[in-house]
Amino acid sequence: MDTRSAMTARDSRFLTACRLLAAALLFAARAHAAPPAPPAPADLAISPSTVGPIAVQDILARASEDQQQLEFARQLLLGPQLSERLGRELDEIAAPVDAKQHNASGAVLRGLPIMRLESLARHWQFDANRFARWQTMARHAFAPYEQTAMQLAQRRLAWSSTRAAGLLDGLPPAMSEHVDAMLAQIDASETALGIALKRQLELSQRANVLQARIRAGQSDVAAAIDEVDQQLLRIDAPPLWRSLNLNTNPQSAVEVMQRGLEIETQFALEYNAAGTANQQALRVVQVLLLPLIIWLVRRSRHGGAPAGAAVSALQRPFSAWLLLAMLSVLVFEPDAPLLVQELALALALVPVLRLLPSNTVAWLGLSPSVAVALYALDRLGVAAVADIGLYRLFLLLLNLLALGLTVWMLRRQPALSDGGSQTLQWPRRVLGWLVLVMLAVALVCNVAGNVSLAETLTSGVIDSGYMALMLYAGVAACLGLLSVILSQPQLAARQLLLRQGPVLQAVFKRLLVLGAVIGWLLYSLSRFRLLRPLQGASATLLGAGIEVGEVSVHIGDVLVFLFASWLAAWLAGALRRLLREELPGHSKLPRGVGNSIASLSYYAVLILGLLVALSAAGFKLSQLMLVFGALGVGIGFGLQNVVNNFVSGVVLMFERPIQPGDVIDAAGVSGTVREIRLRATTIRTFDGADSVVPNGLLLSANLTNWTMFDRRRRFEITVGVAYGAAPEKVLAILAGAAGATPGVVADPAPVVLMTGYGESALNFAIHAWTNDVSHWTQVRGELLQRVLAALQAAGMTIPYPRIDVHLRNFPGETHA
């Protein structure tokens, strides 16, 4: 018993140590704001009140289960230890953090230009994203160790409780030895797991420190940017006539610039090595663009000269590829390092000028060339950023040059000869005078000592002008390439393009222009230092709302829901129109499949879009369950017919007894099917009315489809001929009239029968077929006319009922 007591005490001490280590690890994992690890199952909780001794009859079965758990723990410890790899990755994340805190922190931030601060903000955000991905990997890597340690602790407690309760007394010695061996194995596994958990805890503590440093760096850069924004309307330098404040130690300025360039370069390399989904998509687009443009060039040369906007894009294929590839960088990587984005903008300088449409060059004159040249000079000023005085002098010279060129262009604007372009004269002059005023204000601010506002206005005017030209050239190149693609014989013969080609091009053009305008506005607001304040004000406004319990409704959520719902409805409608144009005429699809696919796709996209809209608006599944529950109650009490119609609509789409264009008789309505929706079907009657028939009625009643397999229809005409006519002659006359009637088909041939003896006529019937069910009434009317004319020409009459009235006098009656 002494030995057992010693083992129990030792087990208790080790169990307590494992508990403390696991608790510390869990606390550290929660401390750095990572999503919590999946909780252990309820039966794994370590509590003496819930874990009791093992029943004697369950000892062998429980020993087998625990042996499997010990084997899993052994394999887990023998496997690759992810702590070392995670530690190396954590060191890689910490290296740029150390560099930024050493070279750009504290008071150094206050002296950096705004573009450098914005680049640092992106760099810190990139580090935060990398650390978040590291946290996710660490959480998944550490979870098996934590859960295994908790399971082993629970199993040890169960076996210890069994021994302490004396349940092993009286059992064979082999059973007791087996339990002792099980406890020893659990002890060894817990010791090895404790070492692994200790390394993981140390790694988590390092991660906590690194996360705190990243957050501190982000806060410092955000505060520095806010301070720069607040100083836009303040004097931040002495007036130019007092002091230029040139740096007397140019070597220090060069060193500062070199350190900044090294950090920027390192950031660009790290970003490129990250391999995000956006970067992979960008590479795919850039790789596929060049062969596509070259193929279009070769096709256009063989198929004739292109027209309109396609000329510039196809005559300069490399420039078109380079421009679109650089624009793709701005679209796919909005959070890329500023060094990467500025390099993309610089590489597009020449393609922008080469791809501008000829009419734009005639309208703007030398303005595009001047804007590109000023942008290039503005970017050369990066070399003077480290020296505030030198940069101020450079900014002054750039401002004077831009101001002079603007005045010169306003005085020498080219005249527009055509009348339609004369209306563009006043926007051009208004834009020129607006640029002139902003440059003049920037010049005055620079001289007076407000260098921040002077830099913002000057760079904002130059950069926004260049971005407008770049986007305009990109839109023109895209439209030109699209026109060439749609003119290819493989696409031009499609029914969709034959019918909706101009509409599709107009929609694509509007979307491109809208995207370009939005992109230019965001870029310009950022360059004029207005984007961050507007984002803050918008966040405050959109965050306003009402919160009641778990339900919260904000203005931003409502706007997101409305926009996402509109987008889903637009996409669903566009997809349905596309499928309805292409699928019904597909020869390999059975009858009605195209319309069913189009309708079901419409509702699938619409429902999926609404769910995405609700999710984007912040609705949770628990909140939606209330709505679905209320909807279920409504269905149970009063919406049976609605549900019946919806289910019937699904059946109609899958069984396809009717499709748009069919001529049917159903639910007392005759006409042509116009549209089949989930709840009801619209039928165009022959009187010109649109009748909406619930789908439940179409399935529950008899439905006659005259055009299910073909459009042929048989009709019947009855004719009565006066007694005395020869039946053989009448049959021949009727057969000849039917055969000569336009619209009556020869196969199957018309059938003429004598049907009986009437009260005043011999009865005959004509059964004739027509290939067009839509005009069978006109064919029947024409046949009636020909039958009457043929009988009259043969001297035969069609009798009509006649009543003979005989007058008789009754006794006592007198007549006047």
Side-chain angles (χ1 to χ4, degrees):
M1 296 298 296
D2 295 339
T3 304
R4 292 179 180 177
S5 300
M7 292 177 60
T8 303
R10 183 189 62 185
D11 295 343
S12 178
R13 290 193 299 271
F14 189 83
L15 177 61
T16 302
C18 287
R19 288 178 182 174
L20 293 175
L21 186 58
L25 184 60
L26 292 174
F27 176 78
R30 296 189 182 116
H32 47 258
D43 59 344
L44 300 183
I46 305 175
S47 175
S49 62
T50 58
V51 180
I54 303 173
V56 175
Q57 63 272 18
D58 298 333
I59 288 180
L60 292 179
R62 185 62 179 272
S64 177
E65 294 178 2
D66 291 359
Q67 191 65 41
Q68 295 178 6
Q69 183 62 39
L70 287 171
E71 180 62 23
F72 174 79
R74 189 177 70 85
Q75 294 296 331
L76 184 64
L77 292 171
L78 291 177
Q81 299 298 314
L82 300 178
S83 299
E84 297 180 359
R85 182 172 66 86
L86 291 173
R88 291 193 298 269
E89 294 180 357
L90 193 64
D91 292 336
E92 294 176 357
I93 300 174
V97 173
D98 297 337
K100 289 194 293 291
Q101 288 186 337
H102 177 71
N103 296 320
S105 62
V108 178
L109 288 175
R110 304 308 188 265
L112 294 178
I114 188 62
M115 292 187 63
R116 183 78 175 86
L117 291 175
E118 290 179 344
S119 179
L120 278 175
R122 295 189 179 196
H123 201 171
W124 282 115
Q125 184 60 42
F126 174 74
D127 292 337
N129 294 337
R130 290 183 65 188
F131 182 79
R133 291 193 294 269
W134 183 92
Q135 279 184 320
T136 302
M137 292 188 298
R139 184 171 63 253
H140 290 294
F142 296 165
Y145 293 89
E146 298 171 4
Q147 295 178 1
T148 303
M150 295 178 66
Q151 292 174 358
L152 290 179
Q154 182 192 30
R155 297 172 190 274
R156 157 176 274 284
L157 184 59
W159 288 111
S160 300
S161 300
T162 303
R163 177 173 288 283
L167 297 179
L168 298 179
D169 297 341
L171 295 178
M175 183 71 71
S176 178
E177 293 175 358
H178 184 68
V179 171
D180 292 339
M182 183 69 65
L183 286 172
Q185 294 179 27
I186 293 176
D187 188 6
S189 297
E190 285 185 329
T191 302
L193 281 173
I195 297 174
L197 289 174
K198 182 179 179 181
R199 289 198 298 265
Q200 295 174 7
L201 178 61
E202 294 174 352
L203 194 60
S204 298
Q205 292 174 347
R206 289 175 52 196
N208 291 337
V209 175
L210 179 60
Q211 186 180 33
R213 294 172 61 191
I214 292 176
R215 289 179 176 176
Q218 287 179 307
S219 300
D220 291 342
V221 173
I225 293 176
D226 292 338
E227 184 177 348
V228 172
D229 292 339
Q230 294 172 2
Q231 290 180 352
L232 285 178
L233 301 179
R234 300 177 184 176
I235 300 298
D236 53 3
L240 197 61
W241 60 83
R242 291 185 181 178
S243 173
L244 189 57
N245 197 20
L246 292 174
N247 189 4
T248 57
N249 186 10
Q251 184 64 28
S252 62
V254 173
E255 293 177 356
V256 171
M257 184 181 67
Q258 289 179 348
R259 287 199 302 267
L261 184 60
E262 291 176 359
I263 295 178
E264 292 293 329
T265 305
Q266 184 63 30
F267 178 26
L269 294 176
E270 294 172 1
Y271 185 86
N272 184 65
T276 61
N278 286 350
Q279 291 176 330
Q280 295 175 1
L282 173 63
R283 294 189 182 99
V284 170
V285 170
Q286 291 178 339
V287 169
L288 296 181
L289 263 178
L290 185 58
L292 173 63
I293 295 175
I294 294 176
W295 178 77
L296 290 176
V297 170
R298 297 184 61 183
R299 296 285 296 183
S300 64
R301 290 175 180 174
H302 292 293
V311 176
S312 299
L314 295 183
Q315 287 181 348
R316 302 172 178 87
F318 183 76
S319 295
W321 172 79
L322 186 59
L323 175 62
L324 296 180
M326 296 305 101
L327 280 175
S328 301
V329 174
L330 305 180
V331 173
F332 286 95
E333 297 184 355
D335 297 329
L338 284 181
L339 183 62
V340 174
Q341 292 188 350
E342 291 298 329
L343 180 61
L345 292 173
L347 291 176
L349 286 172
V350 176
V352 166
L353 293 177
R354 290 173 59 85
L355 293 175
L356 284 177
S358 58
N359 56 350
T360 303
V361 176
W363 176 53
L364 295 177
L366 295 177
S367 300
S369 302
V370 171
V372 170
L374 290 176
Y375 178 82
L377 289 176
D378 187 27
R379 288 303 173 263
L380 291 177
V382 176
V385 169
D387 189 341
I388 298 177
L390 185 60
Y391 181 71
R392 183 179 180 184
L393 181 60
F394 170 81
L395 188 64
L396 179 65
L397 297 176
L398 180 63
N399 191 284
L400 289 172
L401 178 61
L403 195 62
L405 289 175
T406 304
V407 173
W408 176 74
M409 286 187 297
L410 284 175
R411 297 183 61 182
R412 294 178 58 87
Q413 283 184 345
L416 301 177
S417 57
D418 56 315
S421 299
Q422 291 295 332
T423 57
L424 300 177
Q425 287 279 12
W426 71 267
R428 185 173 61 180
R429 297 193 63 84
V430 170
L431 182 62
W433 280 103
L434 180 61
V435 170
L436 184 65
V437 170
M438 295 179 70
L439 291 176
V441 172
L443 179 63
V444 173
C445 291
N446 195 348
V447 174
N450 193 344
V451 182
S452 300
L453 183 58
E455 176 192 6
T456 300
L457 292 176
T458 304
S459 297
V461 169
I462 294 175
D463 295 351
S464 60
Y466 173 69
M467 179 56 66
L469 287 175
M470 185 176 179
L471 291 173
Y472 184 79
V475 169
C478 290
L479 293 177
L481 295 177
L482 177 65
S483 64
V484 177
I485 292 176
L486 296 181
S487 64
Q488 299 303 311
Q490 296 86 348
L491 295 177
R494 308 295 298 183
Q495 291 295 325
L496 177 65
L497 294 180
L498 290 175
R499 299 177 183 176
Q500 305 293 337
V503 176
L504 291 177
Q505 293 193 43
V507 171
F508 186 76
K509 180 179 180 179
R510 284 196 293 267
L511 291 177
L512 273 181
V513 173
L514 178 62
V517 170
I518 293 176
W520 179 80
L521 285 176
L522 293 177
Y523 182 82
S524 299
L525 290 175
S526 176
R527 297 304 300 135
F528 283 106
R529 311 301 311 149
L530 297 175
L531 185 60
R532 286 175 63 89
L534 288 177
Q535 286 178 338
S538 301
T540 303
L541 177 62
L542 297 178
I546 302 175
E547 296 186 3
V548 180
E550 294 185 357
V551 179
S552 61
V553 179
H554 300 86
I555 297 177
D557 298 337
V558 174
L559 294 178
V560 169
F561 173 75
L562 293 177
F563 175 76
S565 301
W566 171 82
L567 183 61
W570 184 83
L571 290 176
L575 178 62
R576 179 170 60 178
R577 287 191 295 271
L578 173 63
L579 295 179
R580 282 186 175 177
E581 291 286 349
E582 292 295 323
L583 292 182
H586 203 286
S587 59
K588 296 183 179 180
L589 291 178
R591 175 188 178 275
V593 171
N595 178 73
S596 298
I597 292 175
S599 299
L600 292 175
S601 300
Y602 168 78
Y603 289 108
V605 173
L606 186 61
I607 293 174
L608 180 62
L610 290 178
L611 292 178
V612 172
L614 289 172
S615 177
F619 285 89
K620 299 179 181 178
L621 184 61
S622 59
Q623 298 171 343
L624 294 179
M625 291 304 295
L626 298 176
V627 180
F628 293 151
L631 184 60
V633 174
I635 291 173
F637 283 100
L639 299 178
Q640 297 96 334
N641 292 333
V642 176
V643 175
N644 178 34
N645 292 328
F646 274 98
V647 175
S648 300
V650 175
V651 173
L652 286 176
M653 291 181 184
F654 277 99
E655 290 190 355
R656 306 184 304 278
I658 59 175
Q659 66 174 337
D662 284 352
V663 179
I664 66 171
D665 294 331
V669 179
S670 299
T672 305
V673 178
R674 295 193 62 180
E675 185 177 7
I676 304 174
R677 292 174 299 219
L678 275 183
R679 190 195 68 84
T681 297
T682 303
I683 301 175
R684 181 77 169 182
T685 66
F686 297 119
D687 296 330
D690 287 330
S691 178
V692 180
V693 180
N695 292 328
L697 293 179
L698 293 179
L699 289 184
S700 61
N702 292 334
L703 188 151
T704 302
N705 190 342
W706 294 98
T707 57
M708 187 169 185
F709 299 106
D710 55 48
R711 298 188 62 83
R712 295 195 302 173
R713 172 167 178 165
R714 196 193 76 167
F715 59 90
E716 180 180 355
I717 294 178
T718 60
V719 180
V721 180
Y723 279 98
E728 301 83 4
K729 188 175 181 180
V730 174
L731 291 174
I733 291 173
L734 296 181
T741 302
V744 175
V745 298
D747 185 18
V751 176
V752 183
L753 302 172
M754 183 175 178
T755 58
Y757 307 108
E759 294 181 357
S760 58
L762 299 174
N763 295 329
F764 296 87
I766 303 175
H767 297 166
W769 287 84
T770 180
N771 283 332
D772 191 355
V773 69
S774 300
H775 300 90
W776 74 273
T777 55
Q778 292 89 328
V779 177
R780 185 177 183 274
E782 179 67 21
L783 179 56
L784 285 171
Q785 295 178 20
R786 290 179 177 269
V787 166
L788 180 60
L791 291 175
Q792 290 176 349
M796 299 180 183
T797 61
I798 299 177
Y800 53 86
R802 185 175 61 180
I803 300 175
D804 294 332
V805 180
H806 301 278
L807 301 176
R808 188 179 64 176
N809 294 330
F810 291 92
E813 294 182 350
T814 59
H815 298 277

